Amino acid sequence: MKQRFISTLQIILQLALTTVGLTGQSYPGKPQIIRCRSLEKETFSCWWKPGSDGGLPNNYTLFYSKDSEEKIYECPDYLTSGPNSCYFNKNHTNPWTTYIITVMATNEIGSNSSDPQHVDITSIVQPDAPVNLSLETNTSANMSYLWAKWSPPPLADASFNSHVYHYELRLKPEEKEEWETVSVGMQTHYVVTSLQAGMKYVVQVRCMLDLGEWSEWSPERSIQIRKKRLPPEKPRIIKCRSPEKETFTCWWKPALDGELSTNHTLLYSKEGEEKVYECPDYKTSGPNSCYFDKKHTSFWTIYNITVRATNEMGSNVSDPHYVDVTYIVQPDPPVNITLELKKSERKTYLVVTWSPPPLADVRSGWLTLEYELRLKPEGEEWDTVFVGQQTQYTARSLIPGKKYIVQMHCKPDHHGLWSEWSPEMYTEIPPDFGVKDMVVWIIVGVLSSLICLIMSWIMIMKGYRMMAFILPPVPGPKIKGIDTHLLETGKSEELLSALDCHGFPPTSDCEELLIEYLEVEDSEDQQLMPSHDTPSKNTKIILKETDSDSGRGSCDSPSLLPVKCRESRGLPSTLQTQDGGAKEKKGGKGSWETQYTASEQKTLPCNSESIKPYTWLAAQLPSNQAAMFAYHSTMEAFKITRNTANVNTSPVLVGNEENRQSLYPIAETVYDDVEKISEMEYSRTDQTTVQIRQNQHNDKSPFMNPKRMDYVEVHKVRQDEEPTLLLKHKENSGKTKKCTLPGTSKEYTKVSTVVDHHILVLLPDQRTQNTPVSQEPVAETSQNPQQSQAEKNTSYSTTAPSDSRRDTSGSDYMDPSSFMPFFK
Amino acid sequence: GLLLVALLVSHMLLTKEGVTSLPICPNGSVNCQLSLEELFDRAVKLSHYIHFLSSEMFNEFDERYAQGRGFIAKAVNSCHTASLTTPEDKEQAQQIHHEDLLNLILGVLRSWNDPLIHLASEVQTIKEAPETILWKAVEIEEQNKRLLEGMEKIVGRVHSGEVENDIYTPWDGLPSLQLADEDSRLFAFYNLLHCLRRDSHKIDNYLKVLKCRLIHDNNC
């Protein structure tokens, strides 16, 4: 009946609520009865959870009915058990009755009821947790106990305290997970044995009535279980130290013994005394230490020190520590460290001064300290310097602009330990302007050397013109041994014109040409001509610059040379190559090196004599290529000449220096074995020859002598004991004259070439413009293989200029010819 | 001419050298002898050197032969010079009259004459004794004699009265250096070196104190 009533009521309510739900606000949600619980079987409480409130304030009403009656009651006490609960006191609680409980939520729109809950009192009994849990440990003999006490859960109605609870206790070491649960019974205390010493235990209790469920576990309580009680461990003496060689202190590491208080005693005996003393002062140096003041400190005496640790259970003694205070001195760090920057001669240096530690009495001589300093630029490695007994140090070679860190420490002179490092001191080295100056100077130096390089490059490019500009032509010495008349009347003019100025425009260039002379002079110099086997004097052909009136205008007299060129078939080709060589010379070293190689290949088979100078040349090449080539080409040309025309008896042609603009060999007559041999040969064939030799003294390296290298000497001109030189006369129409050696010297004589195997062409300086002249005879010379050799030989003669130019400083005069390819 | 100049120059150099190498005669000195300061300087240098050597020698020996044998415990109270009562701390060293201290130094030095001679010879018998130890033993013996000479000179200069010549303690340790038992013999050496290190340090320290007291008026 009642149930049916309730359900119909619900249906009606629900219908009403659904209609109202359309308005936006709604009837309350369904409340839910969470639990009903009796703490002690005599009263009970029920708690519910509200449903949604439907946007409006709700009222909650709890209705209950008993299984024995149909009557519906409302909750007797909404307050005692807190919000949303209903407390049924003893009067409303009947353990023999089943209660049917519903909660209804109501608001303006409607109401909603929970599902009904059937409650049997005996089945919902659960007490609160016990309270006032307290723990104690007790240690007796070897056992540790844990004594736990607690109180039963308090009840609202004090009259119910007669209830009897069953208790359970659980415990575990703090760090473990698993609990050990003990059933205690009805007591409210418990003693735990079998505990692990030194562990901390956590304990909880709970309780239960004879019916129902166990209560919650009480809050945790924990307690430290002491270790077993033992005598202390061995203490250990850590170290002893004397800071000033007058007192000392020893420190020890105390013995561990759990919670027991342990007393430490330091005992010592001194060498030579039986008595054992106790530490005079435990306080001054802090805990676990013993301070020996001056009275108690002796030196050169061994202290036997021990520390005894004592507690209730017994005592333990450290290992003995033997100390002679002499050897344990460790001073404090030095003090008053000052850093002072000083400057001298652009350099900054650092003066560090300091004082000995205040405790140390260094004045009496009792303690002598030595110092060590370390410094570093910030962020770099330490540089450590042992200073000795001084109290000052000067640090040099510091990096300017760096921040330096300085530290000091000290040590007794013999034994003991270094002190701690003093606090760091900083100083900043100012940037060194000296370095900047240096940089500026270096830049200036580099720039100026660059300029020099450019200058010299220009000089090379411009050739002798530069040199001539800087060093104007110097009038050359006259040729002593040549008869002027011979030169004037000879065919030399023809020759010159052929070689030199044919087709050469008489431009103003010609005016600038430096005319050079071949000076053939007598020489009595026995060093140069130690064993000359001819009665005639040595002939030296020296190239000289002429002054302007003697060295110009040669371009205008081209008539002579072509003739001579025809006579001497080898000559034109030589000229040609020489010209090419001159150009190549400007191109650089490499070109004439190849030329040299070519000539070497050609000349080697020609004459075995040439091998010697050649090899020698090669060895000297890097240092003195120019001179070597000059020499060599002269030699070779000459030899070729000799080979090709054995029978000829010809005068030496000496070109007029004014007509000739081609280059001339620079040679100097010298002796050496090879030359002697060749001389003999010439003598036998009765040739009129001119030997042009490079100075090849055994005692001197000719290449170190620029003058010698520059010249070609007419070594011997022989024709039946009557050597002849054909000279080109300056102003002459080109006649060739025979001149005897030694003859009267003539001014303008240069060796232009050796022509026709036995003619020495002497001529003035020649520029590269003579190319057209030399072109003509090429066809002729091509027929003669030996002449082509000569051609090759001459090709590298162009190197001579660079050498002579280099040596101008050591030379008496500037020889512009040396800038030009020279012609043989 | 050149030769003459060269001779002159060399002569000048020689005389100059002669002058620099003869700083002995200070102005106003009658006997042309070393000053007390110079004597002390040299003595201190020498004692410093001797102690350096003995200390090195002890360390080498200790490292090589004494490890783990507990010699240090046995070495207590067994130096033959222990009977000479020497200052044991700074105060004592400063209170003792400098003549007494000098005499004590002399006494200690003399007491080491004998043992050092024997040490230099007996140390050769140590098994695999390194050359460095042998050399040092000889060197110390020589330098000790030199120091003794120097100290006698100083004492002669400082003393107002007669020089006591009888302070010294005899050494009877030679048999112990010749013991058949390796361990005992090594300990005898150890002990001797230990005492040598101690006494050479004492002498060095006393000399430095004396020098500061007598020469620099306690203001080194």
Side-chain angles (χ1 to χ4, degrees):
Chain A
M1 271 298 284
K2 188 175 90 185
Q3 283 166 343
R4 201 172 297 159
F5 163 76
I6 289 169
S7 58
T8 45
L9 184 72
Q10 282 176 337
I11 290 163
I12 294 160
L13 280 171
Q14 279 175 354
L15 281 170
L17 284 172
T18 40
T19 50
V20 178
L22 299 170
T23 62
Q25 291 176 335
S26 67
Y27 53 87
K30 200 173 176 181
Q32 190 186 351
I33 294 166
I34 308 161
R35 71 179 296 207
C36 292
R37 178 187 175 199
S38 169
L39 291 174
E40 70 301 83
K41 229 168 48 174
E42 316 236 345
T43 65
F44 77 100
S45 301
C46 283
W47 291 268
W48 64 87
K49 194 178 101 183
S52 62
D53 60 5
L56 293 165
N58 287 354
N59 274 331
Y60 292 95
T61 319
L62 184 138
F63 298 102
Y64 72 93
S65 62
K66 300 175 186 173
D67 57 351
S68 50
E69 304 173 35
E70 292 191 5
K71 194 175 179 184
I72 295 172
Y73 307 89
E74 201 189 335
C75 168
D77 181 354
Y78 285 110
L79 301 174
T80 304
S81 293
N84 296 328
S85 72
C86 178
Y87 177 66
F88 298 81
N89 65 15
K90 197 178 171 183
N91 297 332
H92 295 85
T93 307
N94 184 344
W96 313 111
T97 305
T98 300
Y99 293 81
I100 301 137
I101 299 170
T102 314
V103 175
M104 185 167 74
T106 314
N107 63 10
E108 288 175 0
I109 296 164
S111 62
N112 204 348
S113 284
S114 68
D115 293 330
Q117 177 99 12
H118 295 251
V119 175
D120 176 11
I121 304 300
T122 52
S123 67
I124 60 162
V125 175
Q126 184 189 30
D128 278 337
V131 292
N132 302 332
L133 173 63
S134 67
L135 304 173
E136 262 181 54
T137 59
N138 202 349
T139 310
S140 70
N142 287 330
M143 292 288 281
S144 288
Y145 301 94
L146 194 155
W147 187 260
K149 287 195 292 187
W150 59 90
S151 306
L155 292 172
D157 189 340
S159 60
F160 302 136
N161 277 346
S162 56
H163 287 287
V164 176
Y165 294 94
H166 294 270
Y167 295 99
E168 254 184 9
L169 177 146
R170 66 176 187 180
L171 80 168
K172 63 165 188 172
E174 195 176 37
E175 65 267 26
K176 284 192 179 173
E177 290 295 315
E178 285 177 21
W179 293 90
E180 183 191 345
T181 308
V182 183
S183 179
V184 177
M186 284 176 277
Q187 304 161 14
T188 55
H189 57 90
Y190 188 70
V191 175
V192 184
T193 55
S194 71
L195 294 164
Q196 280 180 274
M199 298 285 249
K200 196 176 184 185
Y201 278 91
V202 183
V203 180
Q204 287 180 308
V205 286
R206 65 178 179 178
C207 59
M208 188 180 76
L209 288 165
D210 50 351
L211 293 168
E213 299 173 23
W214 283 104
S215 71
E216 301 286 320
W217 286 104
S218 67
E220 288 184 356
R221 292 282 182 274
S222 59
I223 192 165
Q224 175 77 45
I225 307 300
R226 280 182 193 158
K227 281 187 173 177
K228 286 182 183 175
R229 303 221 54 187
L230 282 176
E233 291 171 352
K234 243 188 189 178
R236 192 163 58 84
I237 296 170
I238 305 165
K239 72 162 182 175
C240 297
R241 177 204 164 197
S242 167
E244 75 299 65
K245 208 177 170 183
E246 291 176 46
T247 65
F248 75 105
T249 302
C250 287
W251 290 266
W252 64 85
K253 190 181 167 219
L256 289 172
D257 66 341
E259 292 185 353
L260 287 178
S261 59
T262 305
N263 280 328
H264 287 88
T265 319
L266 184 140
L267 301 168
Y268 70 95
S269 64
K270 281 164 77 174
E271 178 180 355
E273 293 179 42
E274 294 293 311
K275 211 175 164 186
V276 175
Y277 302 92
E278 202 191 331
C279 168
D281 183 350
Y282 287 112
K283 291 178 181 168
T284 304
S285 294
N288 300 319
S289 73
C290 176
Y291 173 69
F292 295 80
D293 61 11
K294 287 184 189 180
K295 269 188 184 176
H296 294 87
T297 305
S298 302
F299 291 83
W300 305 295
T301 302
I302 293 178
Y303 284 73
N304 179 356
I305 303 172
T306 52
V307 172
R308 176 186 295 271
T310 313
N311 65 17
E312 298 163 16
M313 305 304 298
S315 68
N316 213 335
V317 181
S318 70
D319 290 331
H321 195 71
Y322 295 95
V323 167
D324 187 333
V325 188
T326 318
Y327 307 127
I328 56 162
V329 180
Q330 184 186 24
D332 292 326
V335 294
N336 298 334
I337 300 167
T338 58
L339 309 179
E340 194 183 350
L341 284 172
K342 290 193 175 173
K343 273 207 143 195
S344 77
E345 294 165 16
R346 285 187 181 174
K347 283 227 161 181
T348 306
Y349 55 95
L350 176 65
V351 179
V352 186
T353 55
W354 58 89
S355 308
L359 280 178
D361 175 17
V362 293
R363 294 182 152 199
S364 68
W366 179 249
L367 172 61
T368 310
L369 290 178
E370 293 174 339
Y371 301 92
E372 204 168 59
L373 172 147
R374 67 176 183 183
L375 78 170
K376 64 170 181 181
E378 218 170 24
E380 288 178 31
E381 291 294 304
W382 286 109
D383 197 0
T384 307
V385 185
F386 180 77
V387 187
Q389 297 179 15
Q390 307 165 58
T391 53
Q392 179 177 323
Y393 175 74
T394 305
R396 298 174 198 278
S397 65
L398 301 167
I399 306 163
K402 286 260 185 179
K403 192 175 181 187
Y404 273 80
I405 307 169
V406 180
Q407 283 186 303
M408 299 287 310
H409 66 174
C410 59
K411 168 188 167 303
D413 58 347
H414 283 299
H415 303 280
L417 298 165
W418 284 106
S419 71
E420 303 279 307
W421 285 104
S422 64
E424 289 183 345
M425 301 287 289
Y426 297 90
T427 188
E428 193 151 353
I429 313 297
D432 191 353
F433 294 102
V435 170
K436 283 180 183 172
D437 290 350
M438 282 291 285
V439 169
V440 167
W441 281 115
I442 288 168
I443 290 169
V444 167
V446 168
L447 281 177
S448 55
S449 55
L450 255 175
I451 290 166
C452 282
L453 274 174
I454 293 165
M455 289 284 282
S456 48
W457 181 244
I458 291 168
M459 278 157 70
I460 291 168
M461 296 299 286
K462 294 280 181 181
Y464 69 92
R465 262 182 269 183
M466 280 296 294
M467 300 309 298
F469 181 76
I470 295 163
L471 296 165
V474 176
K478 317 295 181 185
I479 298 173
K480 288 173 186 169
I482 293 176
D483 188 353
T484 319
H485 296 293
L486 279 177
L487 293 169
E488 286 171 355
T489 55
K491 289 185 248 173
S492 57
E493 203 173 327
E494 281 178 44
L495 182 67
L496 283 171
S497 64
L499 288 172
D500 202 359
C501 289
H502 180 75
F504 185 74
T507 59
S508 59
D509 269 5
C510 289
E511 294 298 312
E512 294 171 19
L513 289 181
L514 294 169
I515 311 302
E516 305 192 2
Y517 297 89
L518 168 66
E519 182 179 354
V520 181
E521 66 179 10
D522 287 348
S523 173
E524 299 296 336
D525 189 350
Q526 288 309 299
Q527 279 187 315
L528 283 171
M529 304 294 177
S531 59
H532 206 295
D533 55 353
T534 54
S536 62
K537 306 287 182 175
N538 301 325
T539 307
K540 195 173 184 181
I541 303 168
I542 300 167
L543 299 173
K544 298 284 178 178
E545 292 176 16
T546 60
D547 52 15
S548 56
D549 50 9
S550 65
R552 288 182 188 171
S554 60
C555 296
D556 302 320
S557 54
S559 58
L560 176 63
L561 272 176
V563 182
K564 284 299 154 191
C565 284
R566 263 168 245 130
E567 283 177 14
S568 55
R569 279 167 249 164
L571 184 58
S573 66
T574 307
L575 270 173
Q576 183 203 18
T577 51
Q578 168 187 25
D579 186 35
K583 288 168 184 164
E584 283 167 8
K585 180 208 92 184
K586 293 171 184 170
K589 200 173 166 185
S591 62
W592 53 253
E593 273 174 353
T594 51
Q595 286 170 350
Y596 170 80
T597 317
S599 67
E600 183 178 36
Q601 287 164 351
K602 295 274 184 182
T603 49
L604 276 175
C606 174
N607 194 330
S608 62
E609 285 170 21
S610 64
I611 294 171
K612 186 179 174 187
Y614 238 127
T615 349
W616 191 55
L617 280 172
Q620 295 287 333
L621 192 58
S623 60
N624 235 316
Q625 289 149 322
M628 295 311 301
F629 288 129
Y631 155 67
H632 182 72
S633 54
T634 313
M635 268 298 266
E636 291 308 307
F638 172 70
K639 283 164 188 163
I640 292 153
T641 310
R642 177 172 54 88
N643 291 340
T644 49
N646 288 336
V647 207
N648 271 339
T649 303
S650 310
V652 174
L653 285 177
V654 178
N656 181 325
E657 74 277 11
E658 294 221 64
N659 293 337
R660 292 291 303 130
Q661 290 173 0
S662 65
L663 288 180
Y664 43 83
I666 306 163
E668 205 169 343
T669 322
V670 289
Y671 269 120
D672 78 353
D673 296 340
V674 179
E675 289 165 8
K676 281 175 188 171
I677 293 164
S678 60
E679 281 163 14
M680 306 269 255
E681 286 173 8
Y682 300 140
S683 307
R684 265 182 257 124
T685 54
D686 278 343
Q687 280 183 303
T688 300
T689 56
V690 176
Q691 280 187 327
I692 300 164
R693 295 281 162 82
Q694 173 73 27
N695 182 346
Q696 212 172 335
H697 277 297
N698 291 329
D699 56 338
K700 273 188 189 174
S701 172
F703 305 105
M704 305 324 267
N705 186 336
K707 281 188 182 177
R708 285 184 184 173
M709 286 185 289
D710 288 346
Y711 302 121
V712 174
E713 213 174 279
V714 176
H715 174 230
K716 213 186 276 182
V717 182
R718 226 186 263 180
Q719 186 180 19
D720 295 327
E721 305 267 317
E722 187 84 295
T724 317
L725 273 180
L726 275 179
L727 300 178
K728 282 185 194 171
H729 199 275
K730 173 181 176 182
E731 307 292 344
N732 214 315
S733 58
K735 291 179 198 168
T736 306
K737 280 188 178 177
K738 184 180 173 185
C739 66
T740 52
L741 286 173
T744 53
S745 62
K746 191 67 185 172
E747 284 183 275
Y748 37 86
T749 47
K750 296 175 190 171
V751 178
S752 168
T753 186
V754 178
V755 187
D756 227 5
H757 325 308
H758 52 274
I759 300 166
L760 177 68
V761 182
L762 301 178
L763 42 122
D765 185 15
Q766 172 62 42
R767 308 242 169 166
T768 53
Q769 286 91 339
N770 61 359
T771 314
V773 183
S774 57
Q775 292 289 17
E776 279 186 18
V778 173
E780 292 176 49
T781 54
S782 59
Q783 294 161 359
N784 191 336
Q786 301 232 348
Q787 281 170 343
S788 70
Q789 272 184 1
E791 170 186 338
K792 294 288 182 183
N793 291 336
T794 55
S795 63
Y796 47 76
S797 64
T798 57
T799 55
S802 67
D803 188 55
S804 60
R805 178 175 51 80
R806 195 171 63 219
D807 294 319
T808 45
S809 59
S811 192
D812 288 338
Y813 65 96
M814 175 58 60
D815 185 353
S817 70
S818 59
F819 295 97
M820 303 303 296
F822 72 96
F823 174 56
K824 196 181 314 176
Chain B
L2 266 174
L3 261 173
L4 203 71
V5 170
L7 274 171
L8 269 171
V9 167
S10 63
H11 182 71
M12 280 168 69
L13 284 172
L14 280 172
T15 46
K16 205 175 180 188
E17 264 176 29
V19 168
T20 49
S21 65
L22 288 171
I24 310 162
C25 289
N27 290 339
S29 169
V30 185
N31 296 327
C32 191
Q33 54 187 357
L34 284 170
S35 66
L36 191 61
E37 180 173 2
E38 182 68 23
L39 285 173
F40 262 110
D41 273 347
R42 295 186 182 187
V44 163
K45 266 179 200 161
L46 204 49
S47 67
H48 189 97
Y49 177 55
I50 291 170
H51 177 58
F52 169 77
L53 289 176
S54 58
S55 183
E56 290 275 297
M57 183 158 68
F58 173 79
N59 289 341
E60 275 177 66
F61 186 90
D62 185 43
E63 233 170 71
R64 206 176 171 98
Y65 300 103
Q67 291 303 299
R69 296 187 195 232
F71 284 166
I72 181 70
K74 286 200 279 175
V76 170
N77 199 22
S78 51
C79 289
H80 73 287
T81 51
S83 57
L84 289 172
T85 312
T86 52
E88 286 192 327
D89 56 38
K90 190 179 99 177
E91 254 174 53
Q92 288 178 23
Q94 284 179 323
Q95 278 163 8
I96 191 170
H97 193 269
H98 64 269
E99 291 189 20
D100 295 339
L101 188 53
L102 281 169
N103 272 333
L104 274 174
I105 294 171
L106 271 183
V108 175
L109 284 171
R110 282 195 203 112
S111 305
W112 275 100
N113 264 345
D114 249 21
L116 282 176
I117 291 167
H118 290 295
L119 178 68
S121 60
E122 294 301 323
V123 81
Q124 320 248 2
T125 65
I126 302 176
K127 212 166 65 183
E128 293 169 5
E131 185 58 38
T132 47
I133 290 184
L134 306 180
W135 171 81
K136 282 187 187 100
V138 175
E139 178 76 0
I140 290 171
E141 195 242 314
E142 282 176 15
Q143 299 303 328
N144 197 63
K145 274 188 207 157
R146 285 186 58 193
L147 182 57
L148 187 53
E149 282 170 30
M151 286 315 296
E152 275 162 354
K153 203 160 196 174
I154 289 175
V155 168
R157 189 78 65 81
V158 170
H159 267 258
S160 46
E162 279 181 21
V163 178
E164 295 175 65
N165 224 355
D166 49 349
I167 299 182
Y168 102 102
T169 52
W171 178 67
D172 54 1
L174 183 56
S176 67
L177 295 182
Q178 295 166 336
L179 284 171
D181 176 42
E182 174 87 4
D183 209 51
S184 310
R185 198 155 54 89
L186 283 178
F187 171 67
F189 275 110
Y190 177 90
N191 193 42
L192 192 60
L193 295 181
H194 156 74
C195 293
L196 176 61
R197 177 175 71 151
R198 169 183 291 179
D199 284 347
S200 63
H201 188 251
K202 263 188 204 179
I203 289 166
D204 187 45
N205 217 140
Y206 295 156
L207 275 176
K208 280 169 181 166
V209 169
L210 278 174
K211 184 187 156 192
C212 287
R213 196 203 295 184
L214 296 178
I215 309 296
H216 302 286
D217 199 19
N218 268 330
N219 194 8
C220 267

